[in-house]
Amino acid sequence: MPHKMKLEFECMWKKVLTEKFNVIAVGKLFRQTTGGLVVGCEDGVIRLYHLPASSNVDAQLQLKLCLETKGGPLQSLVLDDVTKFGSTDVISGDSRGTVTIFCNGQILNRQSVSGYSVNCLQVDKNATGNLSIVCGDSGGNLNALLPYSQVWKCQLGADSAQAATKSPSVKCLLAATLASSSGQASNYVLAGDDCKMLHFLQQGTTVHKIQTPAVVTAMCCGQWLTKDEVDVADTRPGVVSQVALGGHDGSVYIMSNFQVHVIQYCNVLLPITQLSRLPSIHGDDLDLLLVAGHFSSVFLYHAKQLICKCEVPDWVNTMTVADIDHDGNEEVIVGCQDQTICALKLR
């Protein structure tokens, strides 16, 4: 049954990079006044490109800055003011277990957190403004860092009988302020592992965990189901009650009030690696869900129904959303395995 919302993607521009990359982000780095495309590459270099000024499919990406991490292939990347100097810092994780923090264009600190690949990075912030950089690796280790110190460290599943035979691998991380059915809000780090478990951590302690229908490989916050479908209380701005869980089997389920909703939101039948939210434009307060992964398309869902899809050159291994043309609406930027980066606009 076709969805009554009529939307489609338009390719604003695309570019094939010469360097292999695994992760992208968009933002204003350090004290620069204009935003750019930040690319974490396999040669250990973070490259910043000027964003094209106009919608031109063949627009050129002009290299603006190179940051040498002096490490291995980059697997994760986050932009945030972790030094609290009033400008955006760059934090990267590589396949050798090293986390590198750049401040004002220079390496502020490099920390070897484990002997495994740092595949996930999040910045965890609490209500008082305190923050930590949380990284998860393929060995099941979680580390929370500050620029010059370690805050806490733990290993997923260390308290379970399964840990004696298999160490879970961290597949995805999400730092979020979540609300319970009573409306009470707290900040958590959610960690999905390859044993179909979702862990809820606070200050390095697992305070709750649930079994998931599939191995969770991507997560994002938003409003996906109506209040009639889930038991949620009214929350203040910045507090969410629902999290979309993307699975390795292609399924998407919604987690609310620390429980997975029994009805599947959607299923693309192929491994999901990326989920992102676009704000509602339908007037019903339900957000749009972007789904990408081991397939050459980006799918857009609303209220459990597929609205449209956009064909891209190859499997999508990284995706972000940002208002790159300053029109007040967020665009979708995807990075593909064939080294193509595409900017997509929803019409």
Side-chain angles (χ1 to χ4, degrees), residues 10-17 24 26 36-37 49-61 324-325 331-334 340-345:
E10 173 187 298
C11 182
M12 297 174 64
W13 50 261
K14 65 179 178 180
K15 174 67 175 178
V16 179
L17 301 186
I24 60 174
V26 172
L37 176 68
Y49 294 88
H50 285 286
L51 289 167
S54 60
S55 294
N56 181 350
V57 174
D58 298 318
Q60 297 298 309
L61 287 177
I324 60 176
D325 61 359
E331 286 74 46
V332 185
I333 305 93
V334 298
T340 301
I341 295 180
C342 304
L344 309 175
K345 190 172 187 64

Side-chain angles (χ1 to χ4, degrees), residues 268-320:
V268 298
L269 304 177
L270 291 166
I272 294 170
T273 60
Q274 305 290 319
L275 291 179
S276 290
R277 166 193 171 272
L278 286 176
S280 173
I281 58 174
H282 193 242
D284 60 2
D285 296 327
L286 292 184
D287 295 319
L288 302 171
L289 181 64
L290 292 157
V291 182
H294 291 174
F295 40 93
S296 302
S297 301
V298 176
F299 293 94
L300 183 68
Y301 285 88
H302 175 265
K304 302 180 187 176
Q305 296 189 48
L306 177 65
I307 299 174
C308 65
K309 72 174 183 178
C310 180
E311 301 293 334
V312 292
D314 205 343
W315 290 3
V316 177
N317 56 13
T318 179
M319 178 170 68
T320 189

Side-chain angles (χ1 to χ4, degrees), residues 22-23 40-46 67-78 90-102 107 109-121 133-139 141 143 145:
N22 295 310
V23 60
C41 301
E42 291 207 347
D43 59 1
V45 178
I46 299 170
L67 302 171
E68 298 270 358
T69 66
K70 307 183 190 308
L74 299 178
Q75 305 296 327
S76 50
L77 191 68
V78 67
V90 184
I91 306 98
S92 66
D94 69 22
S95 61
R96 300 174 185 171
T98 301
V99 174
T100 306
I101 303 172
F102 286 88
I107 292 180
N109 193 23
R110 295 178 74 240
Q111 298 186 42
S112 178
V113 298
S114 77
Y116 298 90
S117 178
V118 179
N119 298 324
C120 314
L121 279 176
I133 305 161
V134 183
C135 49
D137 65 33
S138 57
N141 302 296
N143 289 270
L145 317 169

Side-chain angles (χ1 to χ4, degrees), residues 81-96:
D81 181 13
V82 295
T83 58
K84 298 187 177 181
F85 291 159
S87 60
T88 302
D89 307 308
V90 184
I91 306 98
S92 66
D94 69 22
S95 61
R96 300 174 185 171

Side-chain angles (χ1 to χ4, degrees), residues 145-163:
L145 317 169
L146 290 173
Y148 290 110
S149 63
Q150 186 172 68
V151 181
W152 53 260
K153 180 178 181 179
C154 69
Q155 185 172 38
L156 291 184
D159 57 345
S160 68
Q162 190 178 28

